């Protein structure tokens, strides 16, 4: 493609930037070509890549390669770029006399080049007195120097970030955060990156710090470890705070090799500093990430504001009675007592909570609420009408689709409703929600931070209905908002218990309810038309599963409708091994078939895969399941990289090898990931080795994913034990914040401890540890410090 062996480049002026992703700084734009060493013969080309700073009408030099995008055709994928420097006398004169340097005309520009020569720019950057001969005012001279240095610093920073080992995406993200201060900031405190830039963990910052000579018990290192450990522990448990003593013990484990006598003093000083700077917060001996703690408070305050500003309803009781009769007729249903109570409460209160297991009528009630609300408030149920003010939303795309199908009205993800991008910027978003009735489904999946953004967006006078199944697994992110709201007793709540789904052959729903009640009946292990139990130990699970899958495909089940769900990745009956085993049953390697590898995983055409991150620019989101429809080997394309083409429900996405870490095989997925989705057939292997993870809510969530068929595999005692194992609640303080804000006296609220007292306690613990009275590694025998450094 190129004239010579040198890297392909394009020099040109940026004309129109038509796509920018603020998260990874990915941009797509056209340039008007001035020069290239390729045989591209058009006047323009589309350039793509991650760029810290690109301005329209500026000239840049891009290095990279021409690629052939399956949808958009040929474009230039830039791997590096720099603002082009004026070259030669003529260009330099027009550069200095341009609008960038007001006050310098052609004459002065000529003088500069005559005096400083063709490397005038470098000379000005290096020597602040280089321009003295012009005899301009000090202010003017300074302006010129700054203008030139700013351009230069961007290049310099990105070059140095690359030297530090950051790839283009991370470099662009860091540069976006710190701008021209990038190098100064990083060199002053590389651990600040852990806090400021998503994707940089303690381990990476620690490596960089070592290169910069920051080691041992340097305060910056201690603070970096405290921040990272707090975040790791919160992500691990889903709690909204960590136990202070435990945190300290773990941080000691990380810093252990470098411990000095006064480490304990330094640790407490580090903690104190982080508290002072608003990063962490200490309360009642617990350590919070300040923003997560603030989110709990904001939620409580917003709920209070919504409650206080509610002005009641304008219609009379008899009108509601009449309306209930009308909708029963309209939907051809007779609501049971708790259902009727739910409809009444939702219509008459500012905030209402509705929870129930499968088939208890949650969707039925959402429909009734919408219809009755519209009628009683004289609102047309027509989304195109200006007076329509109902917002329906759910945390996942699938749940939103279900809501929309059930109501016949538009429903969307909470992210879309709020205009969020699925990136870390979401936490700082302050959207405003313009509706009068807001209904959220699958509320158990909403975490603290998302709920904070949602609820603070709600305007006074809005009525809110939160619907979900409180017994399912809590959200992936920290918190258990739905359970906390229900347990606070601050809001009217209805728990639906009667199962209404009339399907004589279906026993799965009853089983789910029994599990939820902790009832172990023999019937669980007897085969029914829609479910069966296969007794086997963990060694036999792969074999048994292979047979079930073969049989199900003989019976005409598409593998897309069959989902194996497991709790753990490791082990014979773990997700990784089962994916390998099932892949070889449904999509085996044969001679002449294409196959590519990524680590131990092989990918073939027709493989079922799951996407693991959010990439709005490709319209694919975390948890979406797709099918590999194409494998393009490096030797077969102009990019010279292996590519997978994946069909996500009609949306085809091409992933270069470097992005294959964003997918995994999906024949078997985790129960956690399956929440909010339903499958025709669920196969659920549970084995004794996993007993540490098995809780009632995990089993309950897995079982309720099955629409038509459920096959449980494993040993009886494991199932029995998980049914009996009450799920342990997450540690959060949302309930207490609600008690305080609503002035409700909560049951035995623990005495308040001041920050100072807590810090003194830590000091004592630390001193004991330092004096070897307590081994900091007690209870951590099988755990290495590495386990806490960065989440995999
Ligand atoms: N009072 C009722 N009388 C008769 N049928 C009812 C009643 N309430 C609900 N149903 C029916 O029961 C079935 C389950 O109801 P619905 O789908 O609303 O429950 P759900 O709680 O949303 O269940 P899931 O969470 O599993 O979707 C539906 O077919 C619905 O029509």
């Amino acid at each position: 493609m190129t004239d010579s062996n040198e890297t392909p480049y394009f020099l040109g002026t940026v004309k129109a930037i038509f796509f920018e992703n603020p998260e990874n700084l990915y941009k797509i734009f056209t340039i008007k070509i001035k020069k290239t060493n390729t045989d591209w013969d058009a006047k323009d080309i589309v350039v793509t890549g991650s760029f810290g700073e690109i301005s329209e009408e500026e000239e840049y030099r891009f290095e990279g390669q021409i690629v052939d995008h399956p949808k958009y055709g040929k474009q230039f994928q830039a791997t590096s770029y720099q603002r082009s420097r004026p070259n030669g006398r003529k260009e330099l004169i027009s550069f200095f006399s341009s609008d960038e340097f007001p006050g310098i005309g052609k004459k002065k520009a000529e003088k500069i080049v005559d005096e400083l020569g063709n490397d005038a720019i470098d000379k000005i950057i290096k020597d602040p007195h280089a321009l003295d001969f012009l005899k301009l005012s000090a202010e003017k001279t300074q302006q010129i120097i700054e203008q030139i240095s700013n351009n230069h610093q961007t290049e310099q920073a990105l070059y140095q970030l690359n030297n530090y080992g950051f790839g283009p995406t991370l470099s662009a993200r860091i540069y976006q955060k710190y701008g021209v201060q990038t190098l100064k900031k990083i060199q002053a405190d590389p651990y600040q990156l852990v806090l400021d830039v998503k994707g940089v963990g303690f381990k990476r910052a620690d490596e960089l710090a070592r290169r910069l000579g920051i080691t041992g018990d340097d305060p910056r290192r201690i603070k970096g470890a405290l921040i990272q450990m707090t975040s790791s522990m919160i992500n691990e448990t889903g709690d909204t705070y960590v136990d202070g003593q435990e945190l300290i013990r773990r941080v000691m484990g990380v810093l252990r090799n470098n411990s000095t006598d006064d480490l304990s003093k330094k640790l407490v000083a580090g903690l104190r500093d982080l508290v002072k700077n608003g990063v962490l917060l200490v309360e009642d001996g617990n350590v919070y990430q300040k923003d997560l703690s603030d989110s709990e408070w904001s939620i409580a305050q917003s709920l209070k504001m919504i409650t206080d500003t509610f002005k009641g309803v304008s219609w009379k009781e008899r009108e509601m009675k009449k309306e209930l009769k009308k909708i029963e007729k309209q939907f051809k249903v007779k609501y049971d007592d708790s259902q009727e109570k739910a409809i009444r409460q939702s219509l008459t209160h500012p905030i209402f909570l509705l929870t129930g297991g499968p088939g208890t009528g949650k969707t039925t009630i959402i429909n009734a609420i919408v219809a009755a609300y519209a009628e009683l408030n004289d609102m047309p149920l027509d989304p195109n009408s200006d007076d329509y003010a109902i917002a329906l939303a759910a945390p996942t795309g699938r749940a939103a689709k279900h809501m929309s199908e059930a109501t016949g009205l538009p429903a969307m993800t909470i992210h879309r409703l709020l205009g969020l991008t699925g990136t870390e910027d979401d936490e700082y978003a302050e959207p405003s929600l313009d509706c009068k009735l807001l209904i959220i489904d699958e509320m158990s999946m909403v975490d603290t931070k998302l709920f904070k953004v949602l609820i603070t967006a709600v305007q006074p006078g809005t009525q809110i209905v939160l619907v979900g199944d409180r017994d399912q697994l809590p959200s992936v992110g920290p918190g258990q908002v739905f359970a906390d709201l229900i347990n606070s007793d601050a809001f009217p709540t209805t728990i639906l218990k009667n199962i209404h789904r009339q399907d004589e052959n279906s026993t799965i729903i009853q089983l789910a309810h029994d599990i939820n009640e902790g009832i172990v009946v023999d019937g669980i292990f007897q085969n029914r038309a829609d479910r069966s139990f296969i007794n086997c130990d963990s060694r036999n699970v792969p074999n048994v599963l292979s047979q079930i899958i073969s049989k199900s495909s003989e019976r005409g089940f598409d593998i897309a409708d069959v989902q194996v769900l497991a709790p753990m990745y490791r082990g014979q009956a773990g997700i990784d091994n089962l994916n390998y085993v099932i892949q070889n049953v449904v999509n085996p390697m044969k001679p002449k078939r294409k196959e590519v590898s990524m680590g131990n995983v092989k990918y073939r055409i027709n493989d079922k895969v799951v996407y693991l991150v959010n990439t709005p620019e490709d319209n694919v989101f975390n948890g979406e399941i797709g099918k590999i429809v194409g494998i393009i080997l490096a030797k077969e394309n102009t990019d010279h990289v292996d590519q997978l083409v994946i069909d996500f429900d009609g949306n085809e996405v091409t992933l270069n090898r470097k992005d294959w870490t964003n997918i995994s095989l999906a024949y078997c997925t985790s129960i956690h990931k399956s929440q909010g989705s339903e499958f025709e057939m669920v196969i659920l292997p549970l084995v004794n080795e996993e007993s540490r993870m098995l809780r009632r809510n995990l089993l309950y969530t897995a079982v309720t994913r099955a629409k038509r068929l459920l096959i449980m595999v494993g040993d009886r005692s494991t199932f029995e034990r998980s049914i009996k194992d009450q799920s342990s609640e997450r540690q959060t303080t949302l309930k207490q914040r609600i008690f305080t804000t609503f002035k409700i006296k909560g049951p035995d609220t623990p005495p308040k401890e001041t920050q100072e007292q807590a810090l003194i306690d830590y000091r004592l613990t630390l001193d004991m540890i330092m004096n070897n009275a307590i081994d900091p590694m007690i209870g951590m025998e099988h755990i290495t410090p590495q386990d806490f450094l960065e989440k995999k």
Side-chain angles (χ1 to χ4, degrees), residues 332-336 339 356-365 402 496 499-502 509 678:
K332 298 190 183 67
V333 59
K334 169 97 189 76
Y335 301 114
D336 70 28
Q339 289 179 328
T360 52
K362 298 183 295 297
T363 311
T364 305
I365 300 310
H402 176 240
L496 299 178
I499 304 165
H500 285 282
R501 192 163 282 155
Q502 299 293 331
I509 290 183
E678 282 186 326

Side-chain angles (χ1 to χ4, degrees), residues 198-363:
K198 192 179 160 196
V200 183
F202 179 79
K203 203 171 161 187
R204 185 137 200 185
D206 212 28
E207 268 164 31
L208 184 54
R210 219 180 355 257
R211 285 174 65 168
L212 297 169
I214 303 168
T215 52
D217 56 5
D218 186 290
R220 290 166 288 185
R221 186 163 186 259
I222 288 177
K223 282 191 273 182
L226 278 164
I227 291 169
Q228 173 73 23
M229 190 61 74
T230 310
S231 149
S232 292
M233 286 170 72
I234 281 172
N235 286 330
E236 206 178 288
T237 56
D239 298 341
T240 56
Y241 57 83
V242 303
D243 176 71
Q245 314 278 354
E246 174 69 12
L247 171 72
I248 297 291
R249 220 153 55 88
R250 290 200 186 190
V251 172
M252 295 284 284
V254 172
L255 303 175
R256 202 178 187 210
N257 298 338
N258 312 87
S259 58
T260 53
D261 285 348
D262 56 355
L263 181 62
S264 69
K265 238 188 254 161
K266 289 182 174 166
L267 249 170
V268 172
L271 190 55
R272 201 187 297 272
D273 228 31
L274 290 170
V275 168
K276 203 169 105 200
N277 294 330
V279 179
L280 300 180
L281 188 116
V282 178
E283 192 184 298
D284 294 339
N286 299 319
V287 178
Y288 291 77
Q289 283 174 335
K290 178 76 166 42
D291 56 346
L292 199 51
S293 166
D294 287 351
S295 294
E296 290 192 327
W297 277 114
S298 292
I299 291 172
Q301 284 154 359
S302 296
L303 292 169
K304 179 86 167 76
M305 180 282 288
I306 294 162
T307 309
D308 289 350
T309 52
F310 182 62
K311 295 204 173 70
V313 292
S314 56
W315 32 266
K316 305 259 168 359
E317 165 65 20
R318 64 183 150 79
E319 287 175 74
M320 174 147 71
K321 254 193 190 149
K322 210 166 114 196
E323 183 54 32
L324 275 169
K325 286 250 145 46
K326 197 168 147 197
I327 53 174
E328 278 190 333
K329 218 165 169 188
Q330 180 188 339
F331 292 113
K332 298 190 183 67
V333 59
K334 169 97 189 76
Y335 301 114
D336 70 28
D337 289 351
S338 53
Q339 289 179 328
E340 188 181 321
K341 188 175 147 219
I343 302 167
R344 282 173 173 277
Q345 284 187 311
S346 67
L347 293 168
T348 45
H349 290 85
I351 297 164
F352 171 67
L353 314 174
L354 178 64
T355 177
T360 52
K362 298 183 295 297
T363 311

Side-chain angles (χ1 to χ4, degrees), residues 680-727:
E680 288 297 311
M681 173 173 171
V682 165
I683 308 175
L684 178 62
L686 293 187
V687 294
N688 201 19
E689 286 83 338
E690 297 155 341
S691 55
R692 206 168 49 87
M693 310 201 43
L694 300 177
R695 300 270 184 287
R696 186 185 297 167
N697 60 357
L698 191 83
L699 179 60
Y700 174 74
T701 303
V703 165
T704 50
R705 300 307 94 209
K707 273 209 289 207
R708 207 141 66 88
L709 267 179
L710 169 70
I711 303 181
M712 296 173 281
V713 181
D715 54 291
R716 242 179 113 119
S717 61
T718 307
F719 277 83
E720 284 175 357
R721 240 180 305 121
S722 16
I723 295 172
K724 285 185 194 141
D725 196 336
Q726 272 275 31
S727 47

